[in-house]
Amino acid sequence: MDVGFFTMNNDQSIAIDSLARELEDRGYESLWEGEHSHIPVRHETPYPGGGELPEAYTRMADPFVSLMAAGAAAPTLKLGTGVCLILERDLIATAKETATLDRLSNGRLILGVGCGWNVEELRNHLPDLRFTHRYGAMRERVAALKALWTQDEAEFHGTHVNFDPV
């Protein structure tokens, strides 16, 4: 059985490179990080876990920069996002960033994607996307990512994602 470790990865937790080395030394298979680009100060969306939103959510570091540091410190540990909020990132830049991380880590990236639970957070990124349509938008972004990763001249034309050959 393989065992992974999830971290909120913020400035109040162990340094990510130290954590990665410790996990690898103890036989863990993978290190997983979540993502929130930001947490709006005023939000109506309740925390899915109930009660007040844990402070750790407001202090999360960028997962891809952090996973690169973890990968450099622990050369066999798999590196995962649990999850990357794909709707809250520039798609083409994310395709390049993830491909770069995967290449520099010798194929160790596991990209987990999600569309998030915080209405106000998503609205700050995509004000015209209805929250109820986020799953369809996420599916399109994943399909577009696959095109960008696998085609020399990728293009995508959907409801939520649209770009000419790149």
Side-chain angles (χ1 to χ4, degrees), residues 29-45:
E29 180 248 5
S30 54
L31 171 61
W32 296 81
E33 295 193 20
E35 173 177 47
H36 281 280
S37 63
H38 68 290
I39 297 293
V41 172
R42 290 179 196 82
H43 57 90
E44 298 170 19
T45 308

Side-chain angles (χ1 to χ4, degrees), residues 43-54 116-120 131:
H43 57 90
E44 298 170 19
T45 308
Y47 172 55
E52 292 296 315
L53 179 72
W117 55 266
N118 190 311
V119 175
E120 295 80 18
F131 194 69

Side-chain angles (χ1 to χ4, degrees), residues 58-87:
T58 67
R59 307 178 72 89
M60 295 173 81
D62 181 271
F64 298 115
V65 173
S66 300
L67 289 172
M68 187 66 236
T76 63
L77 198 64
K78 291 182 183 175
L79 312 167
T81 56
V83 298
C84 166
L85 295 175
I86 195 69
L87 297 176

